Every structure is written in structure tokens, then in C-alpha cells.
Amino acid sequence: MPKFRFVTVDQAGRQHKGTLESASFQTAMEELKARDLWILELFDAATSILSRELKFGAPKVKTEIFTVFCRQLATMYKAGISLVEAVRILGEQTESKTFKKILVDVAEEMQRGTQFSVASGSHPSIFSTVFISMVRAGEASGNLDEMLDRLAKFFEKEHNTKEKVKSAMIYPTIMGVMASVVVTIMMIFVIPKFVANFEAMGIELPLPTKVVIAISEWIQLYWYLVPFMLITPKLLVRLLKKHPKGYYAIDYLKLKVPVFGKLQHKQAIARFSRTFSSLFAAAIPLLQAMTIVAKVVDNVVIAKIIEESREGLRSGQSIAEPFRKTWIFPPMVVQMMAIGEKSGSLDSMLEKVADFYENDVDTMADRLKSLLEPLMIVFLTLIVGGIVLSIMLPMFKLMENIG
């Protein structure tokens, strides 16, 4: 009998992991549901080492492709096309070969009687915890069409916000790469020719020129170290992330770094609000919804606060109370949550918060782009101009001596 690994949440919001022997995905799912557990992940244990524990070669699909899939699936299902047929059609027409194979597998599982949430849950690198949880809630309540529509809107909003942040980061990255290439070429090919001329003239070089020549000589001698210097910060970040305190420190810095930290902070608040609102609207129990949000919010600093709020809620506190004690959540967000909790409209209040911060992220990203373009041009000009000026200084000095 095959073994299945699972990650579940109980009614108190506590997470459980383990293995279960069962005849199929469907029976494994039914057995876990009979224990009053909310399934976050359920998969064949035989594939865990390759695709889950090591995450080696786990298939990925572009966000825009998955977003389009969600919208098309919601539309087709609302139009009366059966879910299994809709998944099969979308699998045939998708541009991604990886996604096509996975959708075909999901459709075949569903054809054998497996629920969509279970069939998609066997591919967690493609279908997120939020997706699976909301589909499962739709299957249990009988309003799957509404849940698919909510998912389509959720991923569309998420994708648009991410693209805005990404577009704000692209320009400085490109300009930084260009500056590095231009400086490297000048240091390796241009500066040495001037050095030979200066030595032939026998003139005393000013300090800026000596510094530039020293950097040029170092790059020529140790050019093979440059790639390692560029890779080292990324490796250090990965090593730090293996330790809980290091992971926390990195995510904290992401929210605190000047300018871009504020942008990421607002994006994180928007993601938290949108995810929490969607799960609450799907009638997922509050403690379980908070566990799921903490798992998918993609920032351990915010996840820790959510977990503290969940523990406080379990002991009789309000949802909003733990959020008041931290700088992460602005007073407006906390107040909206408190009002939503008292009025029973937490999902709509959080949706309004998400809309506000998503619009704020869009506006800030557009401003950053318009501001960074001239700043990066000035930066590149100063770097290249500084090198050129350091080379010209000895020539000015020689002309003064001649005069």
C-alpha cells in the first residue's frame, strides 16, 4: 500500500506533519478530513526526496501563465464546462510544456475520481497552498465556481503587484550591470595604455590617478576573482537563511533597506491582506486561515507576528491586538482589522486594505522608475567621468609645466 506524506492544520491552528498509508490520494484525503484536519499538502512519499525535501528539479511555471490559467479555468467552469474537461483543454493549449504535462496528469487523476484539490495538491511547486486550500473550501461548500473566480482575481492582483515592483528594480539593475561592464573594459584595455605613456613622460601622478591605476592593475592580475566577489554575497545570504536567526535578519533588512524596503513593506502588507481576505471569505476556519497565511506570506518577520496573533486569538484575544504592538502593521491596517472583526466583515475590510496598498505600490513603483532613471544616468556619468578625469589630471599638470 502506498505511503503519503502530509502537512495539515488542526482546528486550533496547529500544524502537523507525518506519513499515512492509504490506497489512493482520495482515500488518504478522506481519512485526514475525518480527523478534522485541514490539508495543506498531500503527496506520494516516493517523490518526496527528489521534488520536496531537496527541491531538486521541481517544475516551475511562469506566474503570468498560471494567472491566465486561473482566469480561464474560472470562466470555463462558470460557462458549464466540467472541471476535468476544462483542465484538460487548458493543458492542451498552454504554451508551457511543463505545465501541460502537469495539467494532463491532474486531469487523468480527476478522471479516476480524485478531487481537484487532491490532484493539484500532488504538485505543490505549481499549485500553492492558498490555491489548494481555496479549491478544497469550494469543493466542501459547493460553490467552487465562486472560489475559482476569487482565485483568478487573487492571482491577477498578486501578479500585477509583483510586476510593478519588478519593473521598478529592473532599471537600476541594468544600469548597474552596464556601469560594471564599462568600468571593467576601461580598467583592462584603456588605462594600461595611458600608464605606459605616463611612465615614458616620468611625471609625478596625482593621488586620484594612482588609485585608478592601482585598481586597474589589481583587476588585470586578479580578474578571475571578480566573479567570486559578485557571487559571494548571494552565497552568504543562502548560508544565513539556513539558520532561523539569519533568515529573520535578512527578511527584517528587506523591510528596512532605504526606498526599496518601503516598497517591499507595502507589497508584503498587500499580500497579507489579500491572502487573509481570500481565505476568510472562503469560510476557512480563522485559526487555520492564519496558519496558511503565515506559511505563504513570504516573510518570516510578518509570519512570526501572524503566529503570535493566532496564539493570542486561541487564548481569547482579538485578532488585531497583537498587530498593534509592532511597526510592521500601520495603525490604519490594524484599525480596519478591528472594525472588520467586530462587524463580522473582516474579509471585506482586508480586501479594502489590499486594494489600498496595491494601488500605493503601483504609484510608488511608477515614481521610483521616473526618479531612478535620471539618478542612474548621473551615477554612471560620475563613475565613468571620474575615471576619465583621473587620467586627464596628469596631462593638465604636464601642460602647466610646459607653459
Side-chain angles (χ1 to χ4, degrees):
M1 190 173 291
K3 286 186 178 181
F4 297 92
R5 289 187 180 273
F6 63 83
V7 180
T8 59
V9 180
D10 61 22
Q11 293 292 334
R14 288 184 289 266
Q15 190 168 300
H16 303 274
K17 297 180 181 180
T19 56
L20 174 70
E21 285 191 2
S22 188
S24 66
F25 278 108
Q26 188 71 31
T27 53
M29 183 196 71
E30 288 170 358
E31 187 172 337
L32 291 170
K33 286 177 72 176
R35 301 180 194 174
D36 287 330
L37 296 172
W38 189 268
I39 303 167
L40 298 181
E41 292 184 19
L42 179 64
F43 52 89
D44 192 335
T47 64
S48 63
I49 293 178
L50 179 62
S51 62
R52 297 171 188 278
E53 292 173 6
L54 295 180
K55 295 187 186 295
F56 178 76
K60 296 288 182 183
V61 172
K62 290 181 179 179
T63 309
E64 56 266 33
I65 292 176
F66 188 79
T67 302
V68 170
F69 160 77
C70 289
R71 172 51 63 198
Q72 290 177 333
L73 183 64
T75 303
M76 292 173 74
Y77 188 69
K78 272 194 169 184
I81 300 173
S82 69
L83 195 59
V84 63
E85 189 62 26
V87 172
R88 182 179 288 108
I89 292 168
L90 293 175
E92 290 172 356
Q93 72 178 37
T94 184
E95 297 174 1
S96 169
K97 291 181 180 178
T98 301
F99 200 27
K100 180 176 184 176
K101 183 179 181 302
I102 286 168
L103 289 179
V104 168
D105 289 345
V106 169
E108 288 176 355
E109 279 289 332
M110 292 168 68
Q111 194 71 52
R112 289 193 287 267
T114 305
Q115 285 187 306
F116 182 40
S117 58
V118 179
S120 57
S122 61
H123 303 282
S125 63
I126 303 296
F127 299 97
S128 67
T129 303
V130 172
F131 181 94
I132 296 164
S133 297
M134 288 184 67
V135 168
R136 186 172 295 117
E139 290 169 341
S141 61
N143 61 343
L144 185 58
D145 55 342
E146 183 184 335
M147 287 300 109
L148 289 174
D149 190 55
R150 281 185 174 276
L151 275 170
K153 290 176 182 175
F154 173 84
F155 284 106
E156 283 166 356
K157 293 279 189 179
E158 182 85 357
H159 175 62
N160 291 338
T161 306
K162 280 184 178 179
E163 286 301 305
K164 278 288 184 179
V165 175
K166 194 187 295 182
S167 66
M169 305 286 280
I170 285 174
Y171 191 81
T173 303
I174 291 173
M175 292 299 288
V177 171
M178 284 180 62
S180 301
V181 171
V182 170
V183 169
T184 303
I185 291 172
M186 291 185 72
M187 291 294 183
I188 294 176
F189 300 105
V190 179
I191 303 299
K193 293 181 180 179
F194 282 95
V195 172
N197 292 333
F198 295 152
E199 289 175 350
M201 293 175 188
I203 59 175
E204 180 66 25
L205 299 176
L207 181 61
T209 308
K210 288 180 179 178
V211 171
V212 170
I213 290 172
I215 294 171
S216 173
E217 289 174 348
W218 188 90
I219 291 175
Q220 290 176 69
L221 286 171
Y222 303 106
W223 58 269
Y224 51 86
L225 293 177
V226 174
F228 290 103
M229 291 173 67
L230 296 173
I231 293 169
T232 298
K234 193 170 184 179
L235 292 175
L236 284 173
V237 168
R238 286 192 175 183
L239 285 172
L240 282 170
K241 281 187 172 183
K242 290 184 178 180
H243 194 279
K245 288 184 179 179
Y247 210 135
Y248 186 92
I250 289 168
D251 278 359
Y252 183 86
L253 284 173
K254 282 181 182 178
L255 301 174
K256 281 291 188 179
V257 68
V259 184
F260 289 104
K262 194 173 183 181
L263 184 64
Q264 292 205 5
H265 186 187
K266 289 180 178 182
Q267 185 190 14
I269 295 294
R271 182 180 176 84
F272 159 80
S273 304
R274 180 70 61 191
T275 308
F276 201 177
S277 170
S278 299
L279 292 173
F280 190 81
I284 294 172
L286 192 55
L287 290 171
Q288 294 175 344
M290 293 179 79
T291 302
I292 295 168
V293 173
K295 187 180 176 67
V296 303
V297 78
D298 200 27
N299 188 289
V300 294
V301 178
I302 298 174
K304 186 179 179 182
I305 296 166
I306 296 167
E307 287 165 0
E308 288 172 359
S309 178
R310 183 191 63 202
E311 295 304 315
L313 185 65
R314 187 182 292 145
S315 62
Q317 289 184 7
S318 69
I319 298 172
E321 192 58 36
F323 294 102
R324 295 184 192 278
K325 303 171 186 176
T326 174
W327 60 271
I328 296 287
F329 290 87
M332 184 201 78
V333 177
V334 179
Q335 190 62 29
M336 293 282 278
M337 289 176 67
I339 293 169
E341 186 179 7
K342 288 177 182 177
S343 63
S345 57
L346 184 61
D347 54 337
S348 62
M349 286 298 178
L350 285 171
E351 191 170 357
K352 288 174 183 177
V353 170
D355 288 338
F356 173 81
Y357 276 95
E358 283 163 358
N359 291 332
D360 205 11
V361 167
D362 290 352
T363 304
M364 189 176 178
D366 289 336
R367 286 177 182 170
L368 270 177
K369 282 173 68 179
S370 59
L371 181 64
L372 283 171
E373 287 179 13
L375 283 177
M376 291 305 296
I377 291 170
V378 170
F379 170 75
L380 184 57
T381 303
L382 287 174
I383 294 292
V384 177
I387 295 171
V388 172
L389 182 61
S390 68
I391 297 303
M392 296 300 291
L393 283 174
M395 296 181 181
F396 295 148
K397 190 174 181 181
L398 182 62
M399 290 173 69
E400 286 177 5
N401 293 336
I402 294 172

